Amino acid sequence: MRQVKPILSLILLIFCGNVFAQSTVLTKEEAIQRTLENNFGIQRSNNLVEIADNNQGILNSGYLPSVTANAGANYNNEDIEAQFQEGEARNLNGAETKRYNASLNLNYTLFDGLGRFYTYKQLKEQYRLTKLEARETIENTILQLMSVYFEVARLTENVGVLNETLEISKQRITRAQYQFDYGQTSRLGILNAEVDVNNDSIALLNTKQQLENTKRDLLVILNEPQKDLRSIAIDTTINFLSELEIENFIKTSNLNNVSLLQAESNLQITDYDIKVSRSGYLPSLGLTGSYGWNNSNLPSTSFVQTNTSRGYSAGLNLTWNLFDSGRTITNVKNASIRFENQQYLKEQIILEVKRDIANSWGNYQNKRYIYEVQEKNVITNEDNFNRSQEQFKLGQISSIEFRQAQTNLLNARTNKNLAKYDAKLAELQVLQLTGQLLNLEL
């Protein structure tokens, strides 16, 4: 009984260790969520959006008045020689004069040629543009994330394929050894099997190293560099959208493509810039108001010894710059030229986006076809390998022929994995160009 307890404890320890060593599958949705929360590039973009949001607020609009408070004190000590109108003369040494003042002033622009109105609209459009730029950053980061995520998935599947290949090669050594022991073959069969095991081991080792390196790339994008690589498991499930659905996205790409939306926003900002410049042709009307308090302590040579005043004041001021040395005319002309350039840029972006969508769509269709061919190729090679394996066991084919069938199956499986993730990544590129990358489950 004493011997059973340690054995049970050891079994329990091994079981628990295996449980805790199991890694949790990182789904694509979880990876995207972590990236949105932690990625440095996205965080910087979010901060820029917050700055633009502050800039478009009422506190930065120019529609609120300015209120200032002023206060001061003045002290004079001087010798005075005074001559009064009655003819009396008086000399006063060390005469002190003390003055105090305080005021509360208000300034408000009632009309400035609509410059403030269009500047406010320009700030709101700049906020929209900044959000589009942040969206572009998110799309590019998500596409980069999926590229690395799919590479981890591909290498993970390749490690599994290479493990199976290595196991089959090890079984060949055992079978070749039995055949040699019973005189059915020469030692050359054992040597060939050992060479194949070594090659398969090296291929597996290199692929595992590539997998670890790619996992580190994934952790950098997730901003989780401290995480244990062994705890990362990837979902290798791939679902493709229907071609009809993607074609519908392409038809509405001019309304959703982020580059086109940015070009339209820049065009609107430049149009507001023209209107802001034209406001220089119109007058401005301002309102001023103040409440002030003044106190003076004067020397005896003055008519009064103490003077205190307080009260309100208000006023309107009209300013019309009839000619400002041509500065407004120049600003309007330059703004109009910038608007024209922005139109040219928009037309160029439209052409480039159409080209990029056509290229990505053709690339996606090509990769989907390659993937379908590779799927059929795997089925064919599996059938060929199974037949070759039976023939090899019966001694009807040589080890070299069997190895060729094994290599063909290995290449077919790895090529299928590559084609699968290449096709999915090509699909995501189409979704990005059509403006749908962030609207669908990947």
Side-chain angles (χ1 to χ4, degrees):
M1 187 68 180
R2 293 179 180 178
Q3 294 178 348
V4 173
K5 289 185 177 179
I7 295 175
L8 291 176
S9 300
L10 180 60
I11 294 174
L12 182 61
L13 181 61
I14 294 174
F15 175 78
C16 293
N18 290 332
V19 170
F20 288 113
Q22 290 178 355
S23 55
T24 304
V25 175
L26 177 65
T27 64
K28 291 181 282 291
E29 292 74 17
E30 291 173 347
I32 291 173
Q33 184 62 33
R34 293 185 189 180
T35 301
L36 293 176
E37 294 174 354
N38 302 325
N39 183 266
F40 287 132
I42 293 178
Q43 288 177 346
R44 289 196 302 268
S45 297
N46 291 336
N47 285 340
L48 292 177
V49 171
E50 188 174 352
I51 291 174
D53 189 23
N54 293 335
N55 289 337
Q56 68 146 359
I58 189 66
L59 296 177
N60 192 48
S61 65
Y63 280 104
L64 298 179
S66 63
V67 179
T68 59
N70 297 317
N74 183 267
Y75 173 79
N76 289 332
N77 190 311
E78 54 193 353
D79 297 333
I80 299 176
E81 184 177 330
Q83 183 72 39
F84 294 96
Q85 293 182 354
E86 294 83 0
E88 180 183 358
R90 181 180 300 176
N91 294 327
L92 186 61
N93 295 327
E96 293 182 341
T97 303
K98 301 177 182 178
R99 291 186 175 89
Y100 307 94
N101 65 84
S103 64
L104 191 64
N105 306 295
L106 179 142
N107 288 279
Y108 184 66
T109 301
L110 298 175
F111 179 76
D112 65 345
L114 297 178
R116 175 178 55 184
F117 174 74
Y118 289 115
T119 299
Y120 187 49
K121 284 183 169 292
Q122 195 175 45
L123 290 173
K124 286 190 170 297
E125 190 63 36
Q126 186 64 50
Y127 170 68
R128 178 172 175 266
L129 176 61
T130 307
K131 290 182 66 176
L132 289 172
E133 291 171 346
R135 172 187 154 186
E136 183 180 30
T137 299
I138 293 174
E139 287 182 353
N140 291 334
T141 304
I142 296 304
L143 197 61
Q144 180 188 13
L145 167 68
M146 288 295 99
S147 175
V148 177
Y149 185 94
F150 290 150
E151 182 64 9
V152 173
R154 184 185 73 86
L155 292 172
T156 300
E157 289 192 317
N158 284 356
V159 166
V161 172
L162 289 169
N163 272 320
E164 292 180 12
T165 302
L166 179 59
E167 186 62 29
I168 293 173
S169 296
K170 289 180 179 180
Q171 292 174 5
R172 264 185 60 207
I173 292 182
T174 303
R175 183 172 185 81
Q177 185 65 50
Y178 287 154
Q179 290 175 338
F180 176 74
D181 292 341
Y182 289 99
Q184 296 178 355
T185 184
S186 66
R187 188 166 181 80
L188 182 61
I190 298 176
L191 295 177
N192 288 334
E194 289 177 349
V195 170
D196 292 338
V197 167
N198 291 335
N199 290 334
D200 292 342
S201 299
I202 293 172
L204 178 60
L205 184 63
N206 289 334
T207 304
K208 285 184 176 180
Q209 184 60 51
Q210 292 176 9
L211 178 58
E212 288 188 1
N213 294 342
T214 310
K215 284 184 177 182
R216 292 189 183 94
D217 294 336
L218 179 63
L219 292 178
V220 169
I221 299 175
L222 296 174
N223 192 17
E224 298 177 354
Q226 73 286 350
K227 197 167 184 178
D228 186 5
L229 296 178
R230 293 172 298 179
S231 65
I232 301 176
I234 297 299
D235 181 13
T236 58
T237 304
I238 293 296
N239 296 314
F240 292 99
L241 299 175
S242 67
E243 291 195 0
L244 180 62
E245 190 174 6
I246 297 178
E247 288 175 349
N248 290 333
F249 292 152
I250 293 176
K251 292 177 183 178
T252 59
S253 59
N254 60 318
L255 301 176
N256 299 307
N257 179 271
V258 69
S259 296
L260 292 178
L261 294 176
Q262 286 179 354
E264 185 64 34
S265 183
N266 278 316
L267 191 65
Q268 186 63 59
I269 290 173
T270 311
D271 182 53
Y272 286 142
D273 194 29
I274 296 176
K275 295 175 180 178
V276 171
S277 299
R278 286 176 178 170
S279 67
Y281 292 133
L282 300 177
S284 61
L285 179 64
L287 171 67
T288 61
S290 67
Y291 175 80
W293 172 83
N294 292 276
N295 176 266
S296 301
N297 294 323
L298 306 174
S300 57
T301 54
S302 301
F303 291 105
V304 295
Q305 184 176 3
T306 302
N307 181 22
T308 303
S309 64
R310 63 178 64 87
Y312 299 91
S313 66
L316 288 173
N317 58 75
L318 176 70
T319 304
W320 196 341
N321 198 338
L322 299 178
F323 184 70
D324 59 355
S325 303
R327 185 173 62 254
T328 298
I329 296 175
T330 303
N331 290 339
V332 171
K333 288 182 177 180
N334 290 339
S336 299
I337 294 173
R338 286 192 294 269
F339 180 79
E340 185 178 2
N341 283 342
Q342 197 62 47
Q343 285 181 315
Y344 293 146
L345 181 59
K346 179 183 175 181
E347 294 300 322
Q348 179 181 350
I349 291 175
I350 291 174
L351 293 177
E352 291 175 351
V353 168
K354 287 182 178 179
R355 177 206 62 195
D356 293 341
I357 290 178
N359 290 343
S360 63
W361 175 236
N363 184 50
Y364 168 71
Q365 290 179 310
N366 183 57
K367 290 186 181 299
R368 276 297 304 270
Y369 175 76
I370 292 174
Y371 173 54
E372 292 171 1
V373 171
Q374 292 293 355
E375 281 187 312
K376 295 178 182 178
N377 194 30
V378 168
I379 296 174
T380 302
N381 277 278
E382 284 178 345
D383 184 56
N384 179 61
F385 174 76
N386 291 332
R387 291 174 181 269
S388 299
Q389 192 174 37
E390 292 298 326
Q391 292 176 342
F392 178 68
K393 290 179 181 179
L394 297 174
Q396 296 177 354
I397 63 174
S398 65
S399 61
I400 296 177
E401 292 173 313
F402 175 73
R403 176 62 178 179
Q404 185 61 51
Q406 183 187 21
T407 302
N408 290 340
L409 178 59
L410 171 64
N411 292 336
R413 286 179 172 177
T414 54
N415 288 338
K416 173 194 169 184
N417 293 338
L418 178 62
K420 177 173 68 172
Y421 295 111
D422 277 353
K424 185 59 180 179
L425 190 59
E427 180 188 87
L428 297 186
Q429 290 171 343
V430 176
L431 294 179
Q432 181 192 24
L433 289 170
T434 56
Q436 301 294 335
L437 182 63
L438 305 180
N439 299 332
L440 300 171
E441 290 187 7
L442 306 181

